[in-house]
Amino acid sequence: QVQLVESGGGLVQAGGSLRLSCAASGSISSINAVDWYRQAPGKRRALVAGIRSSGSTNYTDSVKGRFTISRDNAKNTVYLQMNSLKPEDTAVYVCHAELRIGTRDYSYWGQGTQVTVSS
């Protein structure tokens, strides 16, 4: 059974750092792409950062220079390093992955992890 599990969220003061992990487990051939989204209370889910199998990355403007997305192919894990956190970064962070299983691609969502940044 394939699963996508996030971890690493928590409570941190403004200016602090957290590293989120998105780990895929099960019979996976490869990870094609992973995107991190976040949803703050009363707001729509928004794309934060993404990484492709080529290694290319993209970030929403508000996190450029502060967040870094990376991947460890051996561990089937993608990380989101978040530095210089601000109260407005407070949200539930959810990862979405496109996984190659056998000869087909499948879309998976994680369960989300809460990030709270206090001022």
Side-chain angles (χ1 to χ4, degrees), residues 10-18 82-87 116-119:
L11 173 63
V12 65
Q13 288 188 331
S17 298
L18 285 173
M82 306 186 295
N83 299 328
S84 302
L85 282 162
K86 304 174 181 180
T116 303
V117 184
S118 63
S119 57

Side-chain angles (χ1 to χ4, degrees), residues 25-86:
S25 62
S27 300
I28 301 165
S29 300
S30 63
I31 299 177
N32 294 339
V34 173
D35 294 301
W36 280 99
Y37 290 81
R38 66 186 178 187
Q39 186 165 18
K43 295 189 177 181
R44 299 180 66 177
R45 181 174 291 182
L47 178 66
V48 177
I51 188 166
R52 299 297 173 264
S53 57
S54 64
S56 65
T57 60
N58 59 279
Y59 301 90
T60 192
D61 286 345
S62 63
V63 308
K64 286 180 180 178
R66 300 189 297 124
F67 290 12
T68 302
I69 190 170
S70 63
R71 61 192 292 166
D72 184 334
N73 291 331
K75 295 182 179 180
N76 285 332
T77 300
V78 169
Y79 303 98
L80 185 66
Q81 178 67 43
M82 306 186 295
N83 299 328
S84 302
L85 282 162
K86 304 174 181 180

